[in-house]
Structures are given as structure tokens and as C-alpha cells.
Amino acid sequence: MNFFKKIFLISLTLIIFVVSSACQQANDAKREVISSTEFVLNTAATISLYDSDDYNLITESFKICRDYENLLSKTIEDSEIGRINTRKTNEVSTDTAELLELSLEFAEQSNGAFDITIGSITDLWDFTSNEKHIPDQELINVAKQYVDYRTIKIADQKILFENENTKLDLGAIAKGFIADQVKEYLVEQGVTSAIINLGGNVQCIGRKDQEKGFRVGIQKPFDSGSIVEIELNDEFSSVVTSGVYQRYFEKENQIYHHIIDPKTGYPTNNHLLSVTIISKDSSSGDALSTACLVLGLEKGMKLIDEKDDLYAIFIDDDFNIYYSEGLQETLITSE
Ligand code: AMP
Ligand code: MG
């Protein structure tokens, strides 16, 4: 080997060594969060990664959210749910079938307090525009007849309706389901520390760092501050709140909000302002927070206490806080 070649190889080895040790130092010093917020699923969603600097993972996560929105939203005419509701199709994709089956289980467990056939009633209400319109009692009475989860069947990737006017609304479970899908994708990509926050529907991966889990504040209803803080872990990684303050209008000193009692066709009116569910998967957290808000404190708490893989926090209109069994000892960090 001639002299110049030798010098070249020694320098190259040194450069490689310096580069690799610089990479190692960068890795050690890293753990800086990368984060992005987008408007999707009718809400501001934020995805934050604590152990990666790959923005493509965030971009792809938002794409997953949008793809599911285009499949499941009842307000997008051409979505699968939109096409099912207008009876343009009776075929359901694998993902939709899975979500419908899951929804029917939660409807059964909650005795119809959570009911995805509520679409004909929710069509009559509008909590997003400034209209403040209360639907006519007769229209509500008619729409109520079409709401009953026991009248739909899913078989062989097809949905069957007993009643031609029944419409689906997956608004009370879709965000949780989508948060779970995004988590599955990120975990597959090797992410071990992240927060997926779909407008308050929070699903975490792993812990914030070696010492601490992710801490999440539960919002004080009609206020911007938090009323209680909990620390999540791998077993209880999801926090979902259903609250009457999240979407509502006020008319003649009365609040009309977006969580409807299927039995009356009107917003729930049982002194509860919010229910938060802490669970492993966000789908059950989402479905059950809505269900418990409709069921009320007594029946809702009974449903949660019968399960050992869930906790709940109920807040009433005097801002009293009610915890399900074992929660305070396990996950609460401050009040
Ligand atoms: P959430 O914020 O998860 O409690 O879901 C509320 C949304 O679910 C509403 O905006 C409606 O689209 C829909 N919804 C309202 N009431 C019910 C109910 N009792 N069962 C199922 N979905 C409901
Ligand atoms: Mg819900």
C-alpha cells in the first residue's frame, strides 16, 4: 500500500470513529420531543414523539386519522358510514365491521345508553353552528323510533337494518378507535414513548422518561384549568373524557349539549358535567365515557366498578369529584 493510500485509510477510519461517536453523543443527549398539531376529526389533534426525530411518523399518523375519518364520519356523504346511512351500500369493510361489532358490545353492556343507531336523533341537533335550534318534540318522537342497536346485524361483511330509517353515528367511539390504530402503527414502527391526543382523547405509548409516566390533567368543566391530575402507565395508557361543556349551546338559561339520552332524544340532564375513563385502550374509554354520562352517577359507577381493567372519574354540577374503586390509590398524582 502506498503512503498516500495509508494516510487516506487512517483518516477515513478516524472520520468514521468521530462520526459514530458524535452520533452516540447525539443519541444520549436527544430525547427531545417532536410534536405537531393538525385539525382532523373535527378537532385539534396533537401527536408528540419523545424517542424519535422522524417527522414522517407523525405525518403518517395524521394520514391514518384522515383515512379513518373518511371511512367513519357520518357527515362526510361519501364515507362508508355516509353511504350505509343513505342505503347506497350494505357492505362494510373489515375495519368498520370490527368497530361496529365492538360498538354493539358496549351498547349491550350499557343497556343502550351508548347506542350507535342514534343517527336519526343526532341529525336533528346542531351544536356547532350558532343556530341554537331546539328540534320539535314530534320530530324527536319520530326519530326515537329508529334508535335501537338490537335492530342491526353485521354478518358476512354486510350490515342489515330491521328499520329502513335507522342511521348510524359513530361519533362517541370513533376517536378512541382511531387513537388505538395510530398507537398500533407507531408501536410497529418502534416508537416507545409518545402521546396521541385527538382533541382530549389521549392515548400514550410507554413513559415520558425512565422516572416518570405521562401526566394528564382532567379539565374542570367550563374552565380552562384542570381539576385533577393522573399519571398513566402501560396498563392504563388512555384517558378519555365526555363532557357536557365540550359542545353545547345555551337557550333560555338552559344548556343543550351533544350527549343525547337515546330514551328521551334530548341532551342528558342528570347533574353530571363530565365522565373520564382511564383504560388500556381508547375505544372502550371513548364508548364508556359517553355511556356513563348517559347512565348517570349511580348506574355508571356500578358499570365501571364491575370491571377491573378500568377506572373512572365523575364530576357533577357542584364540581364534586367521584372516583371509581381503587383509582385514588393507584393513579392520582395531585388534586
Ligand atoms: P363523546 O364526545 O365521545 O361523548 O361522543 C358524543 C358524540 O357521539 C355526539 O356528538 C354524537 O355524535 C354521538 N352521541 C351522542 N349521544 C350518544 C349516545 N347516547 N350514544 C352514542 N353516540 C352518541
Ligand atoms: Mg365517547
Side-chain angles (χ1 to χ4, degrees):
M1 200 182 293
N2 71 31
F3 176 76
F4 290 109
K5 221 172 181 179
K6 236 185 210 162
I7 293 290
F8 174 74
L9 276 177
I10 290 170
S11 327
L12 193 66
T13 317
L14 277 176
I15 289 167
I16 289 169
F17 175 75
V18 171
V19 169
S20 68
S21 73
C23 284
Q24 187 55 47
Q25 278 171 16
N27 275 338
D28 291 345
K30 202 161 60 66
R31 297 204 58 87
E32 260 177 33
V33 57
I34 61 165
S35 185
S36 180
T37 299
E38 291 191 20
F39 191 82
V40 61
L41 305 164
N42 256 331
T43 187
T46 303
I47 297 176
S48 311
L49 308 184
Y50 286 74
D51 68 342
S52 168
D53 50 12
D54 186 354
Y55 268 98
N56 292 329
L57 295 176
I58 297 185
T59 309
E60 186 57 31
S61 298
F62 281 121
K63 185 177 176 300
I64 292 172
C65 293
R66 260 183 229 98
D67 287 349
Y68 275 111
E69 183 173 21
N70 290 330
L71 187 75
L72 302 173
S73 168
K74 89 172 169 75
T75 50
I76 298 176
E77 251 176 62
D78 207 34
S79 71
E80 195 165 289
I81 296 303
R83 288 164 50 76
I84 286 171
N85 280 345
T86 48
R87 302 297 188 267
K88 289 193 181 109
T89 184
N90 64 353
E91 286 180 23
V92 284
S93 59
T94 316
D95 278 336
T96 307
E98 185 194 328
L99 181 54
L100 292 176
E101 298 279 11
L102 195 63
S103 301
L104 293 180
E105 278 173 37
F106 287 117
E108 187 75 41
Q109 285 176 27
S110 67
N111 206 7
F114 164 87
D115 190 331
I116 53 161
T117 63
I118 198 145
S120 53
I121 297 180
T122 51
D123 272 356
L124 298 175
W125 291 93
D126 180 0
F127 303 100
T128 45
S129 77
N130 286 328
E131 260 197 39
K132 301 186 177 189
H133 166 71
I134 302 163
D136 288 345
Q137 178 74 58
E138 282 120 74
L139 290 177
I140 293 215
N141 289 345
V142 172
K144 261 193 325 188
Q145 300 167 24
Y146 311 138
V147 180
D148 185 346
Y149 67 96
R150 291 163 299 189
T151 62
I152 59 167
K153 303 270 173 302
I154 323 291
D156 303 325
Q157 306 277 109
K158 288 200 167 53
I159 183 162
L160 299 168
F161 290 95
E162 262 175 39
N163 193 311
E164 256 320 288
N165 296 309
T166 294
K167 287 189 183 169
L168 303 177
D169 179 346
L170 295 174
I173 190 170
K175 272 196 283 177
F177 178 78
I178 296 167
D180 289 340
Q181 308 308 307
V182 172
K183 174 169 178 171
E184 200 178 308
Y185 162 74
L186 289 172
V187 168
E188 269 168 25
Q189 298 302 310
V191 171
T192 58
S193 179
I195 301 184
I196 301 146
N197 182 350
L198 306 184
N201 193 317
V202 176
Q203 174 60 288
C204 297
I205 301 174
R207 303 162 65 83
K208 188 162 187 235
D209 53 40
Q210 271 169 356
E211 286 97 56
K212 286 183 261 101
F214 288 108
R215 289 179 178 210
V216 177
I218 308 302
Q219 191 178 340
K220 182 173 181 188
F222 301 105
D223 194 290
S224 55
S226 61
I227 199 164
V228 59
E229 208 177 81
I230 48 177
E231 183 165 340
L232 299 171
N233 57 41
D234 285 330
E235 203 184 341
F236 294 98
S237 58
S238 162
V239 183
V240 184
T241 300
S242 283
V244 306
Y245 56 89
Q246 289 167 338
R247 236 167 245 181
Y248 69 95
F249 63 80
E250 219 172 326
K251 199 167 181 179
E252 288 153 15
N253 288 329
Q254 171 97 24
I255 278 182
Y256 295 88
H257 62 87
H258 71 308
I259 299 160
I260 308 289
D261 184 343
K263 289 205 175 82
T264 64
Y266 284 87
T268 62
N269 189 11
N270 57 17
H271 297 289
L272 284 181
L273 297 185
S274 77
V275 178
T276 297
I277 304 287
I278 301 125
S279 54
K280 189 173 175 71
D281 61 281
S282 259
S283 318
S284 36
D286 197 355
L288 289 172
S289 59
T290 309
C292 287
L293 201 86
V294 176
L295 285 170
L297 179 59
E298 209 179 308
K299 286 186 186 158
M301 197 61 100
K302 187 166 175 287
L303 177 67
I304 299 304
D305 282 338
E306 278 166 4
K307 296 169 179 279
D308 53 13
D309 54 352
L310 300 167
Y311 292 118
I313 300 171
F314 290 61
I315 300 176
D316 72 12
D317 50 11
D318 285 325
F319 297 99
N320 293 311
I321 309 176
Y322 304 86
Y323 300 99
S324 67
E325 278 167 17
L327 170 59
Q328 266 173 300
E329 303 81 63
T330 321
L331 299 171
I332 299 294
T333 60
S334 72
E335 279 176 50

